[in-house]
Amino acid sequence: MSLLTPASEVIQRHLEHFADRHVILAGDIQDELAVVLDAASVRVLTNQYHQWQVLEPLLKDNVQFNFIAEADFIAKCNTLIYFWPKNKQEACFQLDNLCTYLPADCDIFIVGENRSGVKSAEKIMEGISTLKKIDSARRCSLFYGALENQTAFELNQWWRNYSFEDTQVKALPGVFSQDDLDMGSRLLLSTLEQPISGSLLDLACGSGILAANLGQQNPELKLTLSDVSATALYSAAETLKANQLEGKIIASNVYSEINDKFDWIITNPPFHDGIHTNYSAAENMIMQAPKHLKSGGRFRMVANAFLPYADLLDKAFGGHIVLLKTGKFKVYEATKR
């Protein structure tokens, strides 16, 4: 059993509320609380593939990896425990979806670390559920209310659409660079001289903008896009479609489901897990990259200049070069020998 997060520890202070309830856990789930929670039944909805990988062997069909809730999966649940994410719009999106399918009078518990912005839950849920704070501990807050008015979730209302150069981008709340292309990705693209041929893996693809932009300019380029986020993967698929491109979309915890070898691996890797700094994903991306590159294949990444990736690149590849450096970012490249 893994250690519980502070938010889950706060939930454990209120176990009497769940003993005879049919519970659905959703939001920013980062531990195995669902496995030990004493309730009539427990289900989990997660949009993070690595969390699904951990929970599926333990919960089987009672855990679902998806970016939205399906009615038949949650309709019989009468209690929601929602773990607040760091992105406010993502919380609004997910709660709008959940409160469409949960039954009237469903108990709603919303918990999260104070620095994540969980205190805004009361205002966000106005007209849906009258929330009251019932606990504060471990630098977290726990709110409780009942579902008073179900919502009417419409996916099309949540899309953010913008263009970069001639590439159309579609992204849902919580996806990196949801409203505009971030500077790091812009710098990475600026170093990818044309033409590019062969096969390319866009790792931690987000909305799919990197692969889509390169695919537009290089029609013969074979595209594979991968991410841990179900929301990102759905957004990436829609971005490819909007640009009349084809590509393979893979849910994967770094390389866990990646079996091919590529001429290119590109990435603007995350270094946060929720609100916490976490370099492990980026470290794995670097250290395992040679196994997934063809001979002469190139790994190119952009990262904040202060992050400690140079030594890892040297260890994995035997050397690296810095293609571009600004006050905030570096673009690295390493080649499989």
Side-chain angles (χ1 to χ4, degrees), residues 179-313:
D179 297 310
D180 192 15
L181 186 62
D182 65 287
M183 183 53 66
S185 295
R186 289 172 185 264
L187 292 171
L188 177 59
L189 284 172
S190 75
T191 68
L192 287 156
E193 61 281 351
Q194 307 302 326
I196 294 175
S197 61
S199 56
L200 178 141
L201 170 63
D202 182 354
L203 197 57
C205 66
S207 66
I209 171 61
L210 297 179
N213 184 264
L214 293 169
Q216 278 189 310
Q217 300 176 63
N218 304 275
E220 301 303 315
L221 190 62
K222 184 178 179 181
L223 303 175
T224 300
L225 296 80
S226 177
D227 207 291
V228 296
S229 165
T231 316
L233 294 170
Y234 193 82
S235 299
E238 291 298 306
T239 293
L240 290 184
K241 187 185 300 183
N243 293 284
Q244 293 81 52
L245 294 168
E246 294 184 357
K248 186 184 293 185
I249 306 289
I250 300 177
S252 184
N253 181 8
V254 191
Y255 299 103
S256 68
E257 310 304 320
I258 304 295
N259 299 314
D260 296 329
K261 292 190 176 184
F262 302 89
D263 297 292
W264 290 88
I265 297 176
I266 62 170
T267 185
N268 182 356
F271 61 96
H272 289 98
D273 188 358
I275 62 175
H276 302 283
T277 299
N278 188 335
Y279 302 130
S280 62
E283 291 173 355
N284 288 336
M285 288 179 187
I286 294 169
M287 296 305 297
Q288 297 179 37
K291 299 177 185 177
H292 299 277
L293 284 167
K294 299 176 183 177
S295 179
R298 289 188 273 181
F299 177 84
R300 192 171 296 191
M301 68 180 292
V302 64
N304 289 72
F306 69 87
L307 294 173
Y309 296 149
D311 289 345
L312 290 172
L313 287 162

Side-chain angles (χ1 to χ4, degrees), residues 72-220:
D72 59 353
F73 186 71
I74 69 169
K76 295 182 180 179
C77 298
N78 56 20
T79 299
L80 167 66
I81 301 176
Y82 183 78
F83 292 85
W84 195 263
K86 70 173 182 178
N87 185 295
K88 182 177 177 180
Q89 278 300 304
E90 182 178 14
C92 293
F93 170 74
Q94 292 176 344
L95 287 166
D96 183 31
N97 172 238
L98 290 161
C99 291
T100 295
Y101 301 115
L102 288 168
D105 297 323
C106 175
D107 286 341
I108 296 176
F109 294 84
I110 297 179
V111 64
E113 294 191 33
N114 294 329
R115 61 177 175 150
S116 72
V118 68
K119 293 180 179 180
S120 62
E122 288 177 285
K123 184 172 180 61
I124 286 172
M125 293 295 284
E126 283 181 359
I128 303 170
S129 175
T130 303
L131 296 180
K132 294 183 179 179
K133 185 188 288 190
I134 61 170
D135 201 355
S136 181
R138 301 299 308 273
R139 298 180 180 175
C140 297
S141 294
L142 174 63
F143 297 86
Y144 167 76
L147 181 57
E148 299 158 5
N149 295 296
Q150 291 171 303
T151 52
F153 179 76
E154 291 288 344
L155 180 62
N156 287 338
Q157 296 178 356
W158 290 96
W159 284 108
R160 300 293 187 268
N161 304 300
Y162 65 92
S163 60
F164 172 74
E165 296 177 346
D166 294 325
T167 306
Q168 302 302 309
V169 184
K170 293 180 69 69
L172 290 168
V175 176
F176 184 61
S177 290
Q178 175 191 343
D179 297 310
D180 192 15
L181 186 62
D182 65 287
M183 183 53 66
S185 295
R186 289 172 185 264
L187 292 171
L188 177 59
L189 284 172
S190 75
T191 68
L192 287 156
E193 61 281 351
Q194 307 302 326
I196 294 175
S197 61
S199 56
L200 178 141
L201 170 63
D202 182 354
L203 197 57
C205 66
S207 66
I209 171 61
L210 297 179
N213 184 264
L214 293 169
Q216 278 189 310
Q217 300 176 63
N218 304 275
E220 301 303 315

